Amino acid sequence: MPGNTARRPLPSVLVALYGALVPLLAALLLAAPPAAARDGAAREEAAPTATLTEITDFGANPSNLEMYLYVPESVTPNPAVLVAVHYCTGSGPAMYNGTEYASLADRHGFIVVYPSVTRSSKCFDVSSPQALRRGGGSDPVGIKSMVDWVLDTYDADPKRVFATGISSGAMMTNVLLGVYPDVFAAGAAFAGVPFGCFATTDGSEWNSACANGTVTRTPQQWGDLVRGAYPGYTGPRPRMQLWHGTEDDVLRYPNFGEEIKQWTDVLGVSRTPASTDTPATGWTRTRYGATGDRAPVEAISLQGVGHNLYAYGTMGARVLTFFGLDGQGPAPQPQPSGCKVTVTTNAWNTGLTASVTITNTGSAAINGWKLGFTLPGGQTITGGWGATYAPTSGAVTATNAAYNGSLAPGASVSIGYQANHSGNSASPGAFTLNGTACTTA
């Protein structure tokens, strides 16, 4: 209404009603719990900690994605958020089990979101016009809703939201950083293609020319595709880490060079490497725009490696270093100078029990421990004692109970679990205690 419009007096019946309601509203407000208390309760009820949980009703979700969430027990105040995007034929739970981001979250206190495709291909939409523009009505919209839900529910830090993915998930990482540059601070793409390279207009999810590495553009043309996803945006752009194997026969190696062209242009840095080194055998790392761990663009080429390049236990930590998440979170757990694990397994037709004894063979006390081990294929934990176990298959972390978290030098603690098996009833072959390898007996 215009500012000079006269306000009409309330009718007398409304005045009377208003007078009656004011005391009632005041009483209700005095009786209500503080907003912070309600918010805290909501966070506690949102998802259990240290386990993978499916979240429903998280917001706009035009392509019917599923949302899986991992919240560590030691989640930090205003935590960072990592979106881990799966490959074709994969799922959110598969990404959770096949990567170490949940265990890294336990160490550093951030939250992990695992989007999951429900369409039959199990591939993310990185091809349609809807996916390649902001708010277009496809997978990126649902993923942004997941991020928004975590930011709101856990009071997470909007300046520390990151994305990483493998294959189809790597392509989606490129798309997310292009469509939502104001949401994501950085990304790490394992065996992907540039933003817009997989674009199709016939409804197909597959672009053979791009997959075969025959789509080439100038750096500015690639950069314009990214800039066109959010016209008018002039804010900062997310940093990008790129990984590719030279023998990739699914998304061929030339795509790696095209990605470098695209993101150096988007970030306005020289395509001449600021540094080149070999952080591991067969790896060549080039950094663009700076020489440090958080360069605008970092590219790692893996000599002789094919499409399935992601290696559990060696690459996730490097992603966190690039994102700047490895220095955040709770204080590190005490590192034992020595430990020994003894395990005895009793099996029957389809089940087994395992009794595990952990001994601190070091010279300093341990206050709070996590025992890491990998279950043989086909085994699934159905129950346990002396610790909490998560996840129930694959790479498992057993976390001390409230009563047995302290281990003096020379002291031992006994825990155990019951599991189903599909024929292999062997014990785990190796154990770590707070990240330190233990001897076994």
Side-chain angles (χ1 to χ4, degrees):
M1 297 173 66
N4 59 359
T5 302
R7 296 182 179 177
R8 297 182 180 178
L10 291 172
S12 58
V13 64
L14 292 182
V15 172
L17 180 60
Y18 180 81
L21 284 175
V22 167
L24 177 61
L25 288 171
L28 288 173
L29 287 171
L30 288 172
R38 293 197 302 271
D39 290 346
R43 284 194 291 273
E44 290 176 5
E45 295 171 0
T49 58
T51 188
L52 189 67
T53 303
E54 183 175 5
I55 303 297
T56 58
D57 300 325
F58 51 82
N61 185 24
S63 54
N64 196 33
L65 298 178
E66 294 173 341
M67 174 185 176
Y68 292 88
L69 186 72
Y70 184 81
V71 181
E73 288 183 353
S74 53
V75 63
T76 59
N78 307 118
V81 181
L82 175 61
V83 179
V85 194
H86 67 74
Y87 41 87
C88 281
T89 75
S91 66
M95 192 70 175
Y96 166 77
N97 286 314
T99 60
E100 64 271 48
Y101 295 116
S103 62
L104 291 170
D106 288 334
R107 188 180 308 168
H108 299 293
F110 58 87
I111 292 174
V112 191
V113 176
Y114 299 92
S116 195
V117 169
T118 58
R119 62 178 63 89
S120 59
S121 67
K122 302 300 183 181
C123 297
F124 285 90
D125 177 14
V126 296
S127 306
S128 74
Q130 292 80 14
L132 298 175
R133 69 174 186 268
R134 184 181 182 85
S138 189
D139 293 352
V141 172
I143 294 173
K144 181 179 182 297
S145 294
M146 298 177 195
V147 171
D148 289 342
W149 186 93
V150 174
L151 292 175
D152 181 64
T153 305
Y154 290 92
D155 194 24
D157 186 349
K159 294 182 179 179
R160 293 193 299 144
V161 178
F162 305 90
T164 187
I166 303 170
S167 189
S168 178
M171 293 192 277
M172 177 52 72
T173 297
N174 277 268
V175 169
L176 289 171
L177 269 59
V179 172
Y180 294 111
D182 54 334
V183 174
F184 294 93
F190 289 83
V193 304
F195 177 99
C197 184
F198 238 60
T200 60
T201 56
D202 60 0
S204 173
E205 295 181 35
W206 188 257
N207 185 317
S208 295
C210 179
N212 290 331
T214 62
V215 177
T216 60
R217 292 187 169 91
T218 67
Q220 182 172 340
Q221 287 172 334
W222 282 125
D224 286 346
L225 287 176
V226 171
R227 288 182 285 269
Y230 185 7
Y233 177 73
T234 58
R237 295 280 178 175
R239 297 177 298 110
M240 176 62 93
Q241 184 186 64
L242 304 166
W243 300 72
H244 221 105
T246 60
E247 301 303 313
D248 193 327
D249 59 355
V250 177
L251 301 173
R252 293 189 181 274
Y253 187 66
N255 283 300
F256 181 59
E258 299 301 301
E259 285 180 295
I260 293 172
K261 286 159 63 175
Q262 181 172 68
W263 289 103
T264 51
D265 183 81
V266 168
L267 287 157
V269 298
S270 172
R271 292 188 303 283
T272 300
S275 67
T276 301
D277 64 357
T278 305
T281 302
W283 294 16
T284 299
R285 177 172 60 189
T286 49
R287 287 168 167 165
Y288 303 84
T291 61
D293 288 333
R294 301 186 200 179
V297 178
E298 180 174 88
I300 302 96
S301 174
L302 284 72
Q303 181 64 39
V305 175
H307 187 62
N308 296 325
L309 80 167
Y310 188 88
Y312 187 102
T314 62
M315 296 179 176
R318 293 181 182 273
V319 170
L320 257 61
T321 297
F322 180 74
F323 290 166
L325 292 181
D326 53 353
Q328 303 292 332
Q333 294 169 311
Q335 300 300 303
S337 56
C339 52
K340 181 178 73 173
V341 173
T342 303
V343 57
T344 303
T345 301
N346 295 308
W348 58 94
N349 290 342
T350 60
L352 61 87
T353 58
S355 299
V356 181
T357 300
I358 308 165
T359 302
N360 178 9
T361 60
S363 57
I366 300 171
N367 295 305
W369 51 262
K370 290 181 182 290
L371 183 72
F373 57 92
T374 299
L375 288 174
Q379 292 187 17
T380 303
I381 293 175
T382 57
W385 57 92
T388 56
Y389 299 83
T392 56
S393 62
V396 177
T397 299
T399 303
N400 67 267
Y403 59 84
N404 64 3
S406 296
L407 275 175
S412 299
V413 61
S414 293
I415 63 173
Y417 59 86
Q418 183 171 329
N420 293 329
H421 68 84
S422 58
N424 184 355
S425 59
S427 304
F431 296 85
T432 61
L433 188 65
N434 291 356
T436 296
C438 300
T439 60
T440 57

